[in-house]
Amino acid sequence: MNETRHRVLDALADGPVSGPALADELDISRSAVWKHVEALREEGFEIGSSDAGYTLDSVPEFGASAVEYGLDAPFSVEYHDSIPSTNARARDCAADGASDTVVLADEQTGGRGRLDRDWHSPSGGVWLSVLFRPDVPMAHAPVFTLAAAVAVTRAAREAGVEASIKWPNDVLVRHGDAERKLVGILTEMEGEADRVSWVVVGIGVNANVDPADLPAEAEPTSLLAERGDSVDRRLFTQRLLEEFDTLRQDPANVVEAWRESATTLGKQVRVETPGGTIEGEAVDIQFPGALVIETDSGTEIVSAGDCEHLRPITE
Ligand code: BTN
């Protein structure tokens, strides 16, 4: 959304404000005011007009301007009702030189998951990719995946869902002994060893989605299923982006924030790594995201792999 349209919205929110007063305040013509008001109405903002002037009566449920309006983070949002993959689109934006851009969709038709899996993304989810250009070496980039997991966990908890992180970046909800997956994260990046050029953090949140519409083998849950009613996706997305923005600026503190939101530490785990399977107790996490595991034959430090929480052996 351009700067003037932002200011029109802010003025309307404090309204009623007359067209001429708005034109004076923003130093634009009356016809420009009218065009901004019409464009906002087309995007779903309900703008009333009476003798007293214009008033902002309601904000659309979801979309680019809806998320940008009131967002306390410097992202511009590009919204699609349906798109193959927000990560693929964000990569294209990166190739065009963009930064601090969020690609957001209601539905993905070709969503991608980790390990080249499909990611089912029906209408009602929060499917988004954040493109940014941090000034860090490539080796530090995994910390942004952890930051995304923390951000989305905090947003879910604020929405009343007791989510927690399974290393490195699955966000789960416990159901007795079982764990159901609420969120998946897929990070992609490009750059030289000493400096990242861009990072795309793709976050898939099963928001207002029925878990029965998702593949059962993923053992899915959703915000809708956990809460028993729909979540306000606009507010949820804003909280997620605001938390992520704060965390990405302070990579040194992300690991501690991750520890507070994670469920893996202290658990028996089995991790499938490129170098083989490692089993033991997960005892710590190290910057930028490696898991420390105590095994029968000593300490192992694992930086990537598929992690399974094992049930404690009861005698
Ligand atoms: C996983 O396998 O757990 C990661 C899933 C990541 C899915 C998200 S949805 C938004 C973004 N666009 C994609 O195509 N994938 C990611």
Side-chain angles (χ1 to χ4, degrees):
M1 195 176 7
N2 71 33
E3 181 60 28
T4 310
R5 198 155 299 163
H6 261 296
R7 294 178 63 208
V8 170
L9 267 177
D10 287 341
L12 294 180
D14 295 339
V17 56
S18 71
L22 204 49
D24 271 358
E25 191 180 325
L26 303 182
D27 200 18
I28 56 177
S29 68
R30 288 180 198 188
S31 81
V33 166
W34 185 80
K35 278 186 193 143
H36 283 298
V37 167
E38 281 310 300
L40 286 165
R41 282 177 172 150
E42 262 168 43
E43 287 186 65
F45 290 87
E46 280 179 30
I47 297 170
S49 66
S50 65
D51 290 347
Y54 292 118
T55 46
L56 178 59
D57 294 341
S58 80
V59 175
E61 189 259 330
F62 207 38
S65 299
V67 171
E68 281 185 13
Y69 175 62
L71 175 66
D72 189 12
F75 297 117
S76 62
V77 180
E78 175 185 299
Y79 174 78
H80 301 264
D81 283 329
S82 182
I83 192 173
S85 159
T86 58
N87 264 37
R89 171 68 192 141
R91 283 201 311 271
D92 288 346
C93 296
D96 291 343
S99 187
D100 283 355
T101 300
V102 173
V103 182
L104 175 69
D106 175 51
E107 174 195 65
Q108 292 183 122
T109 52
R112 303 308 308 157
R114 290 173 64 225
L115 307 172
D116 217 20
R117 293 176 186 137
D118 292 338
W119 179 262
H120 289 260
S121 322
S123 170
V126 171
W127 321 120
L128 67 81
S129 301
V130 186
L131 161 66
F132 60 111
R133 297 175 186 273
D135 187 6
V136 299
M138 279 295 240
H140 290 186
V143 80
F144 298 113
T145 308
L146 299 193
V150 173
V152 74
T153 300
R154 288 180 175 170
R157 288 182 183 177
E158 259 185 56
V161 174
E162 262 320 293
S164 51
I165 308 168
K166 181 180 76 161
W167 182 84
N169 53 28
D170 278 346
V171 177
L172 311 169
V173 181
R174 288 196 70 81
H175 284 248
D177 267 357
E179 291 172 327
R180 304 247 162 87
K181 182 156 163 168
L182 181 68
V183 178
I185 299 172
L186 177 67
T187 302
E188 301 180 68
M189 70 198 80
E190 202 172 271
E192 309 288 330
D194 62 337
R195 196 157 164 208
V196 164
S197 167
W198 54 258
V199 179
V200 166
V201 178
I203 307 174
V205 187
N206 301 332
N208 296 332
V209 171
D210 182 346
D213 294 336
L214 299 169
E217 62 272 19
E219 299 181 41
T221 188
S222 69
L223 293 175
L224 172 70
E226 298 296 331
R227 288 162 45 96
D229 68 351
S230 327
V231 70
D232 181 327
R233 288 188 296 170
R234 168 177 170 255
L235 293 181
F236 178 84
T237 306
Q238 289 180 330
R239 288 302 302 129
L240 160 52
L241 293 175
E242 287 164 1
E243 289 285 354
F244 182 72
D245 181 48
T246 307
L247 289 158
R248 73 174 170 150
Q249 293 173 48
D250 193 8
N253 280 325
V254 167
V255 167
E256 187 48 39
W258 187 94
R259 283 193 192 100
E260 284 163 17
S261 305
T263 167
T264 299
L265 301 184
K267 284 215 165 65
Q268 288 296 122
V269 296
R270 181 185 299 130
V271 183
E272 304 291 344
T273 77
T277 305
I278 297 174
E279 226 176 276
E281 184 187 346
V283 292
D284 199 13
I285 183 153
Q286 289 180 352
F287 184 89
L291 190 65
V292 184
I293 306 175
E294 287 300 347
T295 74
D296 289 345
S297 50
T299 306
E300 297 270 2
I301 297 177
V302 183
S303 49
D306 235 12
C307 174
E308 190 186 342
H309 290 158
L310 303 175
R311 302 219 163 87
I313 303 155
T314 45
E315 314 227 323

